[in-house]
Amino acid sequence: MLSIFEPLLDIPVVYYGALLGVGFCIYYLFEVVKTPMLVCANGPFREFLEKHVPLVRNKFWPTLWCFESRAQTVIASVLRSRILPPIHYRREILTLSDGGEVALDWAEEGCSAVSPIVIILPGLTGASQAEYIKCLVSSAKKVGIRCVIFNNRGLGGVELKTPRTYCAANSDDLTEVVDYVKKIHPNVLLGATGISMGGLILGNYLARQGKIAKNKLKGCFLISVPWNVFAATKSTEENYFNLILNKYLAFSLRQQVKRLHYSSESGMFDVDIDSLLKSQTVREFDSQFTVKQFGYKDVEDYYSNATIHDKLHLIDVPLLCLSAADDPFQPVQAIPLKEISQTKKIAVVVTSRGGHIGFMEGMWPVKEEQYMGKLFSQFFTALFTTNLEHQLL
């Protein structure tokens, strides 16, 4: 029996390596590199995207050596944070109606007083210097679009003035920010972008404001938004590797609240801080903190209020979304593809790979402008230079 395999032992090892390499390349070309799925009802918005946003028609080439979902998620963050230089912003502190303060960081170098503006909402614990924010700002700068990053309460180096922070379901602060930017720039075209949890805040704002938002924002863009919060938390709690990401986020949230709480001698928050600091997952943190902060009955009540997959029919502003089918925070089956396919003003681009806010492409992804940045700039450039709203009437 062994004599059958003896000839194989004489084959140089390099040949086996070459065979494996060829097999890997075939797998990459046929199973990894794919044209993104564009989901949107037939009509003016879909035609607009297919005509003016080339990326929706082109294949997405994920980084050859890093296309696994968790690897895209983590390595993209690490590489961008090391490669992209800090952005120089003009900071403006906005005092809200309840006395709270948020930082608005303006990226407007090279832009004029009439250049369009995009408000950017970072993710769960992100702020203006987050690597994915810098990626978008770099892309916007190349096409002459101003960006203003809305840093949530207590983030971006701003002192917390009230014992209230922020959550995915509450868009009150965003409402004030949009109204303020619109007030000081009444004749300038305005858009908005939300990343991850920032996408939930923006999505909830659009759903609750309805036609009112249409008079303020020309269009919006969501990146890696967890459409269904219940499915997102379940996905990050059941899979071991996803759970590691979940625990890291919970750790970041604990550290943030700890810092803010002890910034006051008497303690900033009316919570059992010791129990809170034992939270191991985002769900446990939300149960101990977010639910109590915003008066929800329980975490299920909060997540039901935060999720946007069932609110799409309320959105009246042209909305483009970017999701990856392998996003560890949002399984593809939880993306409301059927509902989106029936809407006239919402579209989602779903790449086969990309992880969560990853979307690294190319052999060595060190360029400032990556896939999500290019989609961002192509979409808003087209949006601000065409009469899409008249076509959607």
Side-chain angles (χ1 to χ4, degrees), residues 49-227:
L49 293 172
E50 292 177 335
K51 180 179 180 180
H52 297 288
V53 186
L55 278 188
V56 305
R57 306 189 308 268
N58 300 338
K59 289 184 176 181
F60 173 53
W61 294 73
T63 297
L64 180 65
W65 48 269
C66 180
F67 54 76
E68 195 275 333
S69 63
R70 275 74 53 127
Q72 276 263 338
T73 301
V74 175
I75 295 178
S77 177
V78 173
L79 280 181
R80 290 177 188 142
S81 63
R82 292 179 177 274
I83 293 170
L84 299 180
I87 301 291
H88 175 70
Y89 296 105
R90 174 177 65 84
R91 170 153 289 192
E92 183 176 7
I93 300 298
L94 176 64
T95 301
L96 303 171
S97 57
D98 68 346
E101 291 183 349
V102 296
L104 301 181
D105 286 337
W106 292 84
E108 48 196 1
E109 183 182 350
C111 297
S112 70
V114 296
S115 296
I117 299 169
V118 176
I119 300 171
I120 300 181
L121 289 75
L124 188 59
T125 59
S128 296
Q129 295 296 345
E131 37 79 23
Y132 53 85
I133 299 294
K134 292 189 287 186
C135 180
L136 298 182
V137 170
S138 296
S139 294
K141 180 180 178 181
K142 293 179 181 179
V143 294
I145 293 175
R146 286 181 286 177
C147 292
V148 54
I149 291 70
F150 163 33
N151 297 276
N152 280 306
R153 301 187 190 210
L155 296 180
V158 177
E159 182 182 349
L160 192 64
K161 296 290 186 177
T162 66
R164 178 194 159 213
T165 55
Y166 58 92
C167 77
N170 189 289
S171 58
D172 293 347
D173 290 356
L174 176 59
T175 300
E176 292 197 48
V177 168
V178 172
D179 289 348
Y180 173 75
V181 174
K182 195 66 180 174
K183 179 182 178 180
I184 62 174
H185 297 287
N187 300 315
V188 174
L189 297 175
L190 183 62
T193 292
I195 302 93
S196 193
M197 195 199 75
L200 283 175
I201 296 174
L202 179 55
N204 277 299
Y205 168 83
L206 295 175
R208 287 165 188 156
Q209 294 288 314
K211 293 186 181 300
I212 296 176
K214 183 181 178 181
N215 297 324
K216 301 174 183 177
L217 299 170
K218 191 172 174 68
C220 294
F221 183 42
L222 304 183
I223 300 173
S224 295
V225 61
W227 300 88

Side-chain angles (χ1 to χ4, degrees), residues 106-383:
W106 292 84
E108 48 196 1
E109 183 182 350
C111 297
S112 70
V114 296
S115 296
I117 299 169
V118 176
I119 300 171
I120 300 181
L121 289 75
L124 188 59
T125 59
S128 296
Q129 295 296 345
E131 37 79 23
Y132 53 85
I133 299 294
K134 292 189 287 186
C135 180
L136 298 182
V137 170
S138 296
S139 294
K141 180 180 178 181
K142 293 179 181 179
V143 294
I145 293 175
R146 286 181 286 177
C147 292
V148 54
I149 291 70
F150 163 33
N151 297 276
N152 280 306
R153 301 187 190 210
L155 296 180
V158 177
E159 182 182 349
L160 192 64
K161 296 290 186 177
T162 66
R164 178 194 159 213
T165 55
Y166 58 92
C167 77
N170 189 289
S171 58
D172 293 347
D173 290 356
L174 176 59
T175 300
E176 292 197 48
V177 168
V178 172
D179 289 348
Y180 173 75
V181 174
K182 195 66 180 174
K183 179 182 178 180
I184 62 174
H185 297 287
N187 300 315
V188 174
L189 297 175
L190 183 62
T193 292
I195 302 93
S196 193
M197 195 199 75
L200 283 175
I201 296 174
L202 179 55
N204 277 299
Y205 168 83
L206 295 175
R208 287 165 188 156
Q209 294 288 314
K211 293 186 181 300
I212 296 176
K214 183 181 178 181
N215 297 324
K216 301 174 183 177
L217 299 170
K218 191 172 174 68
C220 294
F221 183 42
L222 304 183
I223 300 173
S224 295
V225 61
W227 300 88
N228 185 330
V229 181
F230 292 101
T233 53
K234 182 179 179 181
S235 175
T236 57
E237 290 172 351
E238 291 185 340
N239 181 288
Y240 174 76
F241 293 103
N242 292 357
L243 183 60
I244 294 176
L245 297 177
N246 187 319
K247 287 180 176 292
Y248 175 75
L249 284 177
F251 169 77
S252 298
L253 288 167
R254 293 197 310 270
Q255 293 300 108
Q256 175 181 305
V257 169
K258 182 179 179 180
R259 173 180 58 82
L260 294 173
H261 182 70
Y262 289 116
S263 64
S264 168
E265 290 184 7
S266 58
M268 181 63 73
F269 307 114
D270 183 19
V271 296
D272 183 349
I273 192 69
D274 293 329
S275 296
L276 173 63
L277 295 179
K278 295 177 182 177
S279 302
Q280 293 300 305
T281 65
V282 174
R283 182 192 292 268
E284 290 177 4
F285 175 88
D286 286 334
S287 298
Q288 292 283 341
F289 184 74
T290 312
V291 164
K292 297 174 182 177
Q293 273 256 302
F294 290 90
Y296 290 104
K297 180 175 63 177
D298 50 34
V299 73
E300 283 72 25
D301 184 32
Y302 166 47
Y303 286 170
S304 179
N305 200 240
T307 195
I308 62 172
H309 73 284
D310 55 353
K311 301 172 184 172
L312 304 182
H313 62 287
L314 301 173
I315 296 175
D316 201 39
V317 174
L319 176 64
L320 177 63
C321 313
L322 173 62
S323 295
D326 65 349
D327 188 335
F329 289 92
Q330 184 67 103
V332 67
Q333 60 269 24
I335 301 175
L337 299 177
K338 181 179 178 181
E339 292 81 357
I340 293 174
S341 69
Q342 299 170 350
T343 62
K344 296 289 187 179
K345 296 185 178 181
I346 303 175
V348 60
V349 174
V350 184
T351 59
S352 62
R353 308 296 174 109
H356 188 72
I357 327 177
F359 305 103
M360 289 195 303
E361 61 180 345
M363 181 64 70
W364 182 237
V366 297
K367 297 179 181 178
E368 287 190 6
E369 190 175 35
Q370 285 288 300
Y371 187 84
M372 64 181 184
K374 288 188 287 189
L375 189 61
F376 170 91
S377 60
Q378 286 183 10
F379 172 64
F380 280 112
T381 297
L383 190 71

